[in-house]
């Protein structure tokens, strides 16, 4: 049975896999905020369902079937976030928590209607790509803001959706996806940048969760 827990695990495994390549059960436990023992139990269950392959020293890998479910849930999540933001005016720092619930219950019919109402969008309010219905995801090469040097120009591509306080701070500075920035200084405190004629300091922690496209050359 494809329960909410199964979907959450597959989605999180997919996310770690695309960020780090390998998925260690310890990292999965940390992300899911549960004890290692319960992760191991769940991973074995997912392996029995042929949704993941688990090898002690290799970690967890999604099977084709597992990846299909993960992408479907992610598609729901990101479409719902965009629908809430665009159609209902929900602030971008609040849509994630709502989407965490909706992603599990959205019917295929409603998914298609949201997709059509939004004009078949390709990115969510945080700049993350929305997988197509067939499970295709546009993987755009990006850097973390923290990796940029003074003098580098970039465009904000994506911001992590997991921390609503960080999102509301970035929103107050107007640092949304598609915003152009120029890095002025990089210190231990963070990155000072210019955007729309204003200077802002983005703290180091936040700057590791903001992804950009380098447009210097
Ligand atoms: Zn989200």
């Amino acid at each position: 049975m494809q329960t909410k827990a199964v979907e959450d695990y597959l989605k999180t495994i997919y996310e770690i896999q695309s960020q780090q390549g390998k998925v260690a059960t310890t990292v999965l436990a940390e992300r899911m905020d549960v004890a290692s023992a319960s992760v191991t139990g769940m991973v074995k269950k997912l392996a029995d369902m042929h949704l993941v392959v688990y090898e002690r020293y290799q970690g967890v890998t999604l099977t084709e079937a597992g990846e299909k479910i993960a992408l479907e849930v992610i598609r729901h999540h990101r479409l719902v976030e965009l629908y809430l933001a665009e159609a209902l005016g929900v602030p971008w720092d609040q849509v994630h928590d709502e989407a965490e619930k909706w992603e599990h219950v959205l019917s295929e019919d409603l998914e298609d209607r949201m997709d059509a109402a939004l004009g078949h969008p390709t990115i969510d309010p945080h700049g993350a790509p929305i997988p197509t219905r067939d499970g295709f995801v546009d993987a755009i090469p990006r850097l973390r803001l923290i990796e940029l040097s003074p003098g580098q120009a970039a465009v904000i591509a994506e911001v992590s959706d997991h921390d609503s306080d960080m999102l509301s701070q970035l929103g107050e500075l107007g640092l949304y996806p598609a915003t152009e920035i120029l890095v002025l200084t990089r210190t231990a405190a963070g990155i000072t940048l210019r955007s729309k004629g204003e200077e802002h300091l983005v703290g180091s922690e936040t700057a590791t969760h903001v992804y950009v496209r380098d447009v210097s050359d």
Side-chain angles (χ1 to χ4, degrees):
M1 266 295 97
Q2 191 177 312
T3 60
K4 178 180 176 298
V6 167
E7 292 180 348
D8 279 335
Y9 266 88
L10 294 174
K11 183 180 73 164
T12 307
I13 293 166
Y14 179 89
E15 284 169 356
I16 300 170
Q17 201 171 290
S18 39
Q19 287 158 358
Q20 309 183 359
K22 259 174 126 176
V23 184
T25 49
T26 46
V27 176
L28 188 54
E30 213 171 276
R31 275 307 167 89
M32 300 291 300
D33 202 16
V34 293
S36 289
S38 42
V39 166
T40 311
M42 186 59 167
V43 163
K44 283 182 182 153
K45 197 174 138 194
L46 294 173
D48 289 342
M49 295 165 82
H50 306 290
L51 297 174
V52 304
V53 176
Y54 176 48
E55 285 160 279
R56 189 172 282 262
Y57 299 103
Q58 288 304 310
V60 189
T61 317
L62 292 174
T63 62
E64 209 176 301
E67 183 176 294
K68 192 165 176 274
I69 296 171
L71 286 169
E72 177 70 17
V73 176
I74 291 170
R75 176 173 164 81
H76 286 175
H77 182 99
R78 294 180 178 168
L79 269 178
V80 167
E81 286 189 339
L82 191 65
Y83 187 80
L84 294 175
E86 299 259 305
L88 305 180
V90 178
W92 86 325
D93 54 320
Q94 288 169 29
V95 294
H96 175 77
D97 288 346
E98 292 288 348
E100 287 287 275
K101 298 172 235 165
W102 285 47
E103 66 188 14
H104 303 292
V105 295
L106 195 66
S107 67
E108 297 304 288
D109 179 54
L110 208 56
E111 172 191 322
D112 285 345
R113 286 174 190 273
M114 276 185 184
D115 184 42
L118 293 165
H120 309 291
T122 55
I123 54 166
D124 80 5
H126 310 113
I130 299 173
T132 64
R133 223 175 186 297
D134 316 323
F136 177 77
V137 198
D138 218 356
I140 315 142
R142 303 164 313 181
L143 296 165
R144 290 171 189 267
L145 176 57
I146 194 80
E147 296 172 303
L148 298 187
S149 308
Q152 259 184 299
V155 171
I156 295 176
E158 182 181 342
V159 175
S160 166
D161 65 0
H162 286 64
D163 183 339
S164 60
D165 289 340
M166 187 186 81
L167 286 172
S168 81
Q169 277 171 28
L170 289 168
E172 276 168 31
L173 303 179
L175 299 177
Y176 294 103
T179 304
E180 290 175 25
I181 58 157
L182 174 69
V183 174
L184 302 174
T185 64
R186 183 167 87 170
T187 64
I191 298 266
T192 311
L193 53 80
R194 183 181 300 135
S195 166
K196 296 170 199 152
E198 283 180 45
E199 284 182 23
H200 305 292
L201 171 68
V202 178
S204 300
E205 176 64 18
T206 301
T208 60
H209 296 289
V210 173
Y211 298 89
V212 299
R213 267 187 303 119
D214 183 5
V215 292
S216 292
D217 36 43

